[in-house]
Amino acid sequence: MAVEDSTAPKFKEQDLQLWQLMIAGSVAGSFKNMTMFPVRTLDQRMLHRSYSQRHVGIRQALRSVIQTEGPSALYRGIWYMRHGAMGPAQFVHFSFYDVSKNFLSTGNPNNPVVHVISWAFTVVWSYAVSTPVDMAKLRYQNGFGNYKGVWDCAKRVTHEEGISKF
């Protein structure tokens, strides 16, 4: 029989306020996305035509980016992504999940159908926030067009190609 430590703090999700869950989700999601940013950059480079025609692997892509553009190219666009999509999208993600789960649960918070439906709502709304910024960031990051930054890219795409491009 396990002995429970009475001095250890008791934690339940219900003890947290919605704003605390949203901030925690924003910080956790941002940390995850920022940690994986260089890998996503290399992935996008490898999908780009100039890399894919040569069938390069991740090591060759990493070496090529560092030699031709410098190590900072692995992080090009990260601050725009952090402030424009990662944090806000995670903020929306956690808040919508918690609100929809509470709304749909009708007294049974462990109902798996409620979790699935809540997750679906969550994904739709968080992607609505992150996709436009992500598209502009990818264009800027991969050098499509002569953009001064992600916001310049977003303005020009909206003006030249229309809002539906996002």
Side-chain angles (χ1 to χ4, degrees):
M1 178 181 255
V3 177
E4 193 172 309
D5 182 7
S6 61
T7 61
K10 307 283 188 270
F11 172 77
K12 290 185 233 168
E13 182 180 332
Q14 295 82 6
D15 292 340
L16 296 176
Q17 300 290 321
L18 178 61
W19 68 270
Q20 292 170 314
L21 291 171
M22 292 188 306
I23 290 173
S26 179
V27 170
S30 296
F31 180 77
K32 174 200 61 124
N33 289 327
M34 292 174 82
T35 302
M36 292 303 297
F37 199 86
V39 175
R40 290 185 67 200
T41 299
L42 291 174
D43 176 52
Q44 289 302 313
R45 294 299 175 88
M46 290 169 62
L47 291 172
H48 191 266
R49 187 181 347 217
S50 64
Y51 282 84
S52 63
Q53 288 176 344
R54 293 184 278 153
H55 303 288
V56 298
I58 195 153
R59 281 189 218 128
Q60 293 90 353
L62 176 63
R63 188 176 309 120
S64 176
V65 168
I66 289 173
Q67 287 175 348
T68 58
E69 302 173 58
S72 65
L74 295 172
Y75 295 94
R76 185 179 298 138
I78 194 167
W79 294 114
Y80 299 105
M81 191 65 179
R82 163 64 183 99
H83 298 295
M86 287 181 198
Q90 297 301 321
F91 185 86
V92 167
H93 182 92
F94 277 83
S95 61
F96 268 77
Y97 180 74
D98 196 57
V99 168
S100 64
K101 182 180 72 170
N102 290 337
F103 179 76
L104 296 171
S105 68
T106 60
N108 183 8
N110 295 323
N111 183 343
V113 175
V114 167
H115 287 279
V116 169
I117 293 170
S118 297
W119 192 260
F121 286 146
T122 296
V123 168
V124 168
W125 286 106
S126 65
Y127 278 11
V129 171
S130 66
T131 299
V133 177
D134 196 35
M135 187 278 291
K137 187 254 333 167
L138 289 173
R139 283 188 177 200
Y140 171 67
Q141 186 179 40
N142 291 315
F144 299 129
N146 188 17
Y147 302 114
K148 297 174 188 166
V150 172
W151 300 123
D152 178 51
C153 176
K155 285 189 282 188
R156 286 180 43 199
V157 167
T158 302
H159 178 66
E160 295 168 8
E161 301 177 47
I163 195 78
S164 64
K165 193 64 176 178
F166 292 101

